[in-house]
Amino acid sequence: MIKTDILIIGAGPTGLFAVFEAGLLQLKCHLIDALPQAGGQCSEIYPKKPIYDIPGFPEVLAGDLVDNLMEQIKPFQPGFTLGERAETIKKLEDGSFVVTTNKGTEHHAPIVAIAGGLGSFEPRKPLLENIGAFEDKGIAYIIKDPEVYRDKKVVIAGGGDSALDWSIFLADVAAEVTLVHRRNEFRGALDSVEKVQQLKNQGRVNLITPAEIVGLNGTDQLESVVIRKVGDTEGDRVLEVENFIPLFGLSPKLGPIADWGLEIEKNAIKVDNTLDYQTNIPGIYAIGDVNTYPGKLKLILCGFHEATLMCQSAYQRIFPEKKYVMKYTTVGGVTGFDGSKKEAPKAVVKAIE
């Protein structure tokens, strides 16, 4: 049985940053993730996707963010159980927990932090009769490597951040980028909307709204899409393309965690955001996109904040007799569990009495 101080379910950015915050308190962490590598969606789905709202990084690729987080937590030597899904949880008489994976690996910890992001997920697909015939033959629901679209004619459908961000990014990669959305208004960040509009004015992105893709043509590969513009009396338009990328989001599922007795609301775990993001079961926390509370924003930086407060609360639960005092956050270095000192220009220094 694997024993640790904080057992983290999910090795995405929020879970990884929790390791750092816990390590500063000399708390050991172990992470479980169903994916074969750490990083969550950032590694598995869009490692080359640029992220713009990480403090201190005007732009950082998702994969690079994960690499940086892994480097940041090295001194604290976290354990990983990868390629296994957290299946069951059992609360022991002393209040601690045993979590068992689908492969039978048992983990014991006084604190469980669920950082599972959107949980298990699958892309939302447009309702097109022959869409399955072109999957991996010109149609993709996730962009892992943007170089696949180098000098290609690409159509993106969607109105959220992913559709906007990839339209902006691929404008410098693809030969032609067309963004189709069924409304004139977008759901993404206003800055991204403005950038797409600028690219349209520069002739670098074709913006077609309100409209939708209603047909797909091709033999062995996708050759064209049929676009129907709302209110257009001239009929459907056929656009020759090599790639169609519908980005309508992911359909999330909590999986086995939904059966752990946690309070669930709209496929997310309800937490107390007035203090520490604890669930209705004392000792079990939920941080990042997996949780919900009034005013919740599903942003990585919000997950980082939640992870920080969760670790403070976890320390008090593990060591109720100790007083913890935050001192300052500007000098010093990070001390690893092996006693090594890693100098850092802005390491956190805290005092425990």
Side-chain angles (χ1 to χ4, degrees):
M1 182 181 292
I2 298 171
K3 295 188 177 182
T4 190
D5 295 319
I6 301 179
L7 180 63
I8 302 173
I9 312 299
T14 295
L16 294 176
F17 189 70
V19 174
F20 177 77
E21 288 295 324
L24 295 172
L25 300 171
Q26 293 294 292
L27 296 177
K28 188 76 173 177
C29 291
H30 191 95
L31 301 94
I32 301 173
D33 201 297
L35 295 175
Q37 74 283 323
Q41 292 182 50
C42 287
S43 294
E44 179 69 11
I45 298 179
Y46 47 78
K48 299 297 184 180
K49 181 179 183 294
I51 300 174
Y52 301 103
D53 59 358
I54 302 300
F57 290 91
E59 177 182 325
V60 60
L61 297 182
D64 291 342
L65 175 63
V66 171
D67 291 341
N68 291 341
L69 287 166
M70 291 293 287
E71 182 66 24
Q72 188 178 27
I73 66 177
K74 263 186 184 179
F76 305 122
Q77 302 171 350
F80 290 90
T81 299
L82 300 174
E84 299 184 30
R85 183 182 64 247
E87 194 81 11
T88 63
I89 190 168
K90 178 182 179 182
K91 191 169 186 176
L92 304 183
E93 291 184 3
D94 63 357
S96 63
F97 303 90
V98 173
V99 174
T100 305
T101 71
N102 60 317
K103 295 185 179 179
T105 308
E106 294 184 331
H107 307 75
H108 178 229
I111 300 292
V112 173
I114 302 171
L118 294 174
S120 59
F121 49 85
E122 58 184 30
R124 295 189 178 99
K125 302 179 182 181
L127 299 177
L128 297 171
E129 183 178 356
N130 60 339
I131 192 167
F134 298 108
E135 290 176 347
D136 298 323
K137 297 179 180 180
I139 291 181
Y141 307 105
I142 295 167
I143 299 176
K144 288 189 176 182
D145 181 7
E147 283 300 315
V148 170
Y149 306 101
R150 174 70 63 181
D151 300 325
K152 301 288 183 64
K153 292 183 178 180
V154 178
V155 168
I156 295 174
D161 285 313
S162 290
L164 291 166
D165 290 347
W166 278 121
S167 295
I168 295 167
F169 189 90
L170 292 179
D172 293 323
V173 176
E176 182 179 294
V177 175
T178 301
L179 175 59
V180 179
H181 181 42
R182 60 178 175 266
R183 298 185 182 90
N184 286 320
E185 301 78 21
F186 289 88
R187 303 185 308 277
L190 292 178
D191 181 65
S192 298
V193 175
E194 290 178 2
K195 286 180 180 178
V196 168
Q197 187 62 49
Q198 291 173 2
L199 290 169
K200 175 194 173 185
N201 295 340
Q202 296 167 7
R204 298 173 60 198
V205 168
N206 303 317
L207 183 60
I208 304 177
T209 64
E212 58 183 335
I213 307 297
V214 296
L216 306 169
N217 301 317
T219 50
D220 295 333
Q221 287 283 133
L222 180 69
E223 297 173 3
S224 65
V225 297
V226 181
I227 302 174
R228 179 172 298 165
K229 194 165 185 183
V230 177
D232 192 342
T233 58
E234 295 182 4
D236 298 340
R237 171 187 174 187
V238 177
L239 180 66
E240 291 186 2
V241 298
E242 294 162 277
N243 296 94
F244 171 43
I245 312 168
L247 297 175
F248 296 146
L250 302 171
S251 179
K253 298 178 181 178
L254 284 175
I257 292 175
D259 300 321
W260 285 9
L262 301 167
E263 191 173 356
I264 307 296
E265 181 180 284
K266 295 181 180 179
N267 209 47
I269 302 170
K270 290 187 68 174
V271 295
D272 177 9
N273 69 312
T274 62
L275 183 62
D276 54 10
Y277 305 97
Q278 198 160 188
T279 69
N280 59 304
I281 301 178
I284 301 181
Y285 300 77
I287 54 177
D289 287 355
V290 76
N291 74 16
T292 185
Y293 52 83
K296 169 69 179 182
L297 293 176
K298 292 185 181 294
L299 299 173
I300 292 175
L301 63 91
C302 293
F304 290 168
H305 165 77
E306 295 164 10
T308 303
L309 295 188
M310 178 277 294
C311 289
Q312 309 293 314
S313 176
Y315 182 88
Q316 292 298 325
R317 285 190 63 85
I318 296 172
F319 302 110
E321 73 286 355
K322 290 188 178 182
K323 184 180 179 181
Y324 173 80
V325 180
M326 168 75 91
K327 285 292 187 179
Y328 44 87
T329 61
T330 55
V331 299
V334 175
T335 301
F337 288 147
D338 58 359
S340 63
K341 187 84 167 179
K342 180 177 180 181
E343 296 302 326
K346 289 190 177 181
V348 179
V349 177
K350 302 178 180 181
I352 299 174
E353 300 176 355

